[in-house]
Amino acid sequence: MTSSLDNRIRAIEQRVASAHGLTITEHRVPQRDPRVRVLSVGSGSPLIYLNGITAPALGFAPLLAELPGYRHILVEFPGHGLAPAPQWTGPSLREFAVATLTGTLDALGLPKATVIANSLGGLCTLWTALDAPDRISRAVLIGAPATALPGARPVPAMVSLTTSFRGRLEQALMGLPSPRFLAEAALTEALGEQAVAAMSDDLVDLHRLPLRRPGQAAAYRSLLRRLLDGRAPRPENSLTPTE
């Protein structure tokens, strides 16, 4: 059953798309475990987009509006936007990421693809380029690729969420209604003041509202605990010097 919150998020997506002159189509991806959500815009040569952590697929909308003549395929990772929320247990994040991206390409009938990715999406793209190099023809990384590079450090809010007591409290608060300015403050810490100042209220809402969906905040915290060890990335989530 579709909740009123999901309907609200979809309505905001349509407004964001319309504001940038885009028409979006949502696709059912026939994976064995349909944990991703796929939207597409336009037609032409395909470009795959992978979002950053907690970021919505349509966070790329301002960029898509500047790149006509392509089929833009926006992939929302599990636990992001309106994609189902897992608890990030089981195989390593690297195995999960590579299987998810290659499985999505299989479902879309793409033997290989150009990938445009931000943050967590950039990390997953690099892992796939290393472990399944025949599937990635080109990669464009926007911003730091999460924990991939030596010296990467998470923002304090992410570190706080991984702690035992405070992290559980913050997870619970994420599921409650809150004013938009709190989300803007958190986004400013992660993205910078200029980027957030350029965002419409609708784009900010696409970042904050999905965390109120059942299981979404728990999935976000679970993912962070798999990525980080205190203030540093877990070693298995960073590329080696050889890589």
Side-chain angles (χ1 to χ4, degrees):
M1 180 179 295
T2 303
S3 70
S4 59
L5 178 59
D6 285 8
N7 288 334
R8 181 181 175 189
I9 292 169
R10 283 193 164 86
I12 294 171
E13 288 181 333
Q14 292 296 334
R15 291 202 300 269
V16 168
S18 178
H20 292 88
L22 308 173
T23 300
I24 57 174
T25 302
E26 184 170 351
H27 301 274
R28 289 188 176 275
V29 179
Q31 291 176 295
R32 287 174 297 177
D33 188 353
R35 293 170 292 188
V36 300
R37 177 174 180 246
V38 175
L39 305 176
S40 69
V41 173
S43 60
S45 299
L47 299 175
I48 302 291
Y49 292 79
L50 302 180
N51 50 295
I53 196 165
T54 75
L58 279 176
F60 286 112
L63 175 61
L64 308 189
E66 302 297 326
L67 295 172
Y70 293 95
R71 182 188 178 203
H72 304 286
I73 302 171
L74 313 175
V75 179
E76 279 186 332
F77 279 120
H80 292 70
L82 293 174
Q87 280 302 300
W88 301 101
T89 57
S92 71
L93 288 183
R94 182 165 180 157
E95 291 177 82
F96 182 92
V98 175
T100 298
L101 180 49
T102 57
T104 301
L105 293 179
D106 290 342
L108 294 169
L110 297 174
K112 62 170 53 179
T114 294
V115 181
I116 299 172
N118 170 246
S119 191
L120 177 66
L123 174 63
C124 295
T125 300
L126 290 174
W127 277 338
T128 304
L130 287 163
D131 297 349
D134 57 324
R135 306 307 302 272
I136 306 293
S137 55
R138 290 181 297 175
V140 180
L141 305 184
I142 303 173
T147 62
L149 304 180
R153 291 292 181 267
V155 297
M158 291 181 177
V159 176
S160 178
L161 197 56
T162 66
T163 60
S164 296
F165 176 75
R166 185 168 179 174
R168 286 196 298 270
L169 176 61
E170 291 175 357
Q171 175 188 311
L173 293 174
M174 283 180 179
L176 302 176
S178 61
R180 187 179 290 118
F181 74 82
L182 291 180
E184 290 173 334
L187 287 168
T188 297
E189 182 182 52
L191 304 178
E193 185 175 348
Q194 288 185 324
V196 177
M199 282 183 171
S200 65
D201 287 349
D202 279 339
L203 271 177
V204 173
D205 286 348
L206 285 184
H207 281 79
R208 71 187 184 102
L209 291 179
L211 287 169
R212 288 169 47 189
R213 301 178 69 231
Q216 200 97 328
Y220 174 39
R221 181 167 179 258
S222 173
L223 176 57
L224 284 176
R225 288 167 70 89
R226 293 286 299 272
L227 281 167
L228 305 176
D229 181 11
R231 298 180 182 274
R234 294 189 180 277
E236 67 269 21
N237 296 324
S238 298
L239 302 186
T240 67
T242 300
E243 289 175 326

